[in-house]
Amino acid sequence: RPSMTLTCRTPAISPALRASAPRKMRTASLVRRSASIDDDETSAAVSSAVEDAATFELKTPTTPTRFKVADGKLFDVATAAVPLTLRLTSGLATHGYAPTIRNEPLPAGRYSVWSNATSHVDERSDVSAFARPTKPIKIYQFQGCPFCRKVREAVIGLDLDVTYYPTPQGGPEYRPFVASTGGKSQFPYMIDENTGESMYESDAIIEYLYDKYGPGKDKVSGFLTSPITPLAAGLSMIPRMGKGSRYRPSKKPENMQPITFWGYEASPFCALVSEVLNELELPYNQRSCGRGSPKRQELFDKRGTFQVPYIEDPNTGIAMFESADIVQYLEETYAA
């Protein structure tokens, strides 16, 4: 089942995570992850995660409780979960996802979606072998657009980190930017500063991403590019009644830094946060972490637990779990 909000305890960092090692520099514009990470790289990644987490103040207005829906939010979560019935695993798991039950205890310091005293689930995928962009890809889109959803699902499948610039109807900043830059107000629109490419059309963007940062455009799932995909994606979002599609006045600061948002498309809890980010036209760096993503371990190293959604706001220095708390924070901080 989806790990939409794995909130077992108030996040904590154990002293064992404070081991450090020098980080290796990346010299190519596109780098490939090794399928097997050596001990030095693992230690460096853990050290970096701990140091990065220390720069943000973790706020926990409510005590995180596993699988608990916040009071008064059952309808929102239920309607946001409808896409799971029509889109199935698209936007849920990474490419080549393969879970395996290991009949051995979970090693200390390792993330697992499930474990007990004698066994655990080991989740793997193909994404560690894919090329990674040095600069985040920029995608201009809005939450209620079925064509945009196709691209967001592909981003999760490829485990890409991208910067989303919301373009809700009536948005004063990014929608006009796309019209003046690309020549028309159509979404999604992608800019890849690593290659100098920019383009409209969801199918073209998906093929491009799979070709440059995945297993090749011939490996694109028909579930993403089928003629009925926009219809299925559109129908799946009807229960949300246009949430995330229309601009609401916001008081975001000038030259706002993107909020870092950890999540994945199929999670209804993440969707509730994405809706508000889009309505307030708040840019955000998506740290994709679908099933099989190595970034699940990264967040575990950072906070001692894995759960999504999780945000870090460089504009205020605040970090936060729990969709209801995050939504309230965004409303209080940025809604006009």
Side-chain angles (χ1 to χ4, degrees), residues 83 107 110 115 139 167 176 178 216-217 220 231 254 317:
R110 298 300 299 174
S115 66
I139 298 179
T167 57
V178 171
K217 59 184 178 181
V220 176
L231 176 62
E254 187 175 357

Side-chain angles (χ1 to χ4, degrees), residues 264-286:
Y264 59 99
E265 184 66 22
S267 165
F269 297 94
C270 294
L272 297 178
V273 174
S274 297
E275 289 173 355
V276 178
L277 290 168
N278 276 262
E279 289 175 352
L280 299 178
E281 205 186 38
L282 304 177
Y284 58 102
N285 292 321
Q286 165 97 32

Side-chain angles (χ1 to χ4, degrees), residues 31-36 95 125-132 158-159 212-215 294:
V31 296
R32 291 191 174 273
R33 294 179 182 170
S34 170
S36 60
H95 189 87
S125 69
D126 298 335
V127 297
S128 293
F130 298 161
R132 302 288 84 177
L158 296 174
D159 199 40
K212 294 294 183 182
Y213 307 112

Side-chain angles (χ1 to χ4, degrees), residues 57-122:
E57 179 186 0
L58 181 64
K59 294 282 190 178
T60 54
T62 57
T63 301
T65 305
R66 190 176 185 182
F67 301 127
K68 182 179 179 180
V69 177
D71 291 343
K73 299 298 181 181
L74 181 59
F75 176 80
D76 286 337
V77 173
T79 53
V82 170
L84 285 169
T85 64
L86 294 174
R87 301 302 298 146
L88 302 178
T89 61
S90 191
L92 171 68
T94 52
H95 189 87
Y97 174 66
T100 304
I101 296 179
R102 304 287 184 188
N103 293 318
E104 57 187 32
L106 180 67
R110 298 300 299 174
Y111 159 78
S112 176
V113 68
W114 175 88
S115 66
N116 62 20
T118 60
S119 59
H120 69 278
V121 174
D122 184 25

Side-chain angles (χ1 to χ4, degrees), residues 60-243:
T60 54
T62 57
T63 301
T65 305
R66 190 176 185 182
F67 301 127
K68 182 179 179 180
V69 177
D71 291 343
K73 299 298 181 181
L74 181 59
F75 176 80
D76 286 337
V77 173
T79 53
V82 170
L84 285 169
T85 64
L86 294 174
R87 301 302 298 146
L88 302 178
T89 61
S90 191
L92 171 68
T94 52
H95 189 87
Y97 174 66
T100 304
I101 296 179
R102 304 287 184 188
N103 293 318
E104 57 187 32
L106 180 67
R110 298 300 299 174
Y111 159 78
S112 176
V113 68
W114 175 88
S115 66
N116 62 20
T118 60
S119 59
H120 69 278
V121 174
D122 184 25
E123 298 179 292
R124 308 240 173 188
S125 69
D126 298 335
V127 297
S128 293
F130 298 161
R132 302 288 84 177
T134 300
K135 298 179 181 178
I137 296 165
K138 299 178 179 180
I139 298 179
Y140 296 78
Q141 58 88 45
F142 61 97
Q143 186 73 9
C145 167
F147 299 96
C148 299
R149 183 183 177 92
K150 289 170 53 179
V151 172
R152 295 196 305 266
E153 290 178 353
V155 164
I156 298 301
L158 296 174
D159 199 40
L160 287 171
D161 291 347
V162 305
T163 302
Y164 284 125
Y165 293 92
T167 57
Q169 297 171 20
E173 185 171 358
Y174 304 126
R175 187 171 277 249
F177 169 82
V178 171
S180 62
T181 302
K184 53 185 175 181
S185 186
Q186 177 179 310
F187 308 98
Y189 178 67
M190 184 207 75
I191 298 176
D192 185 354
E193 295 180 342
N194 301 280
T195 62
E197 294 284 348
S198 61
M199 65 185 69
Y200 292 98
E201 299 295 341
S202 58
D203 285 349
I205 294 172
I206 291 170
E207 287 190 0
Y208 171 84
L209 294 177
Y210 266 75
D211 186 48
K212 294 294 183 182
Y213 307 112
K217 59 184 178 181
D218 59 319
K219 296 295 194 298
V220 176
S221 169
F223 208 60
L224 288 172
T225 58
S226 166
I228 67 171
T229 296
L231 176 62
L235 290 173
S236 72
M237 294 185 288
I238 286 178
R240 295 304 296 152
M241 297 178 288
K243 291 284 187 179

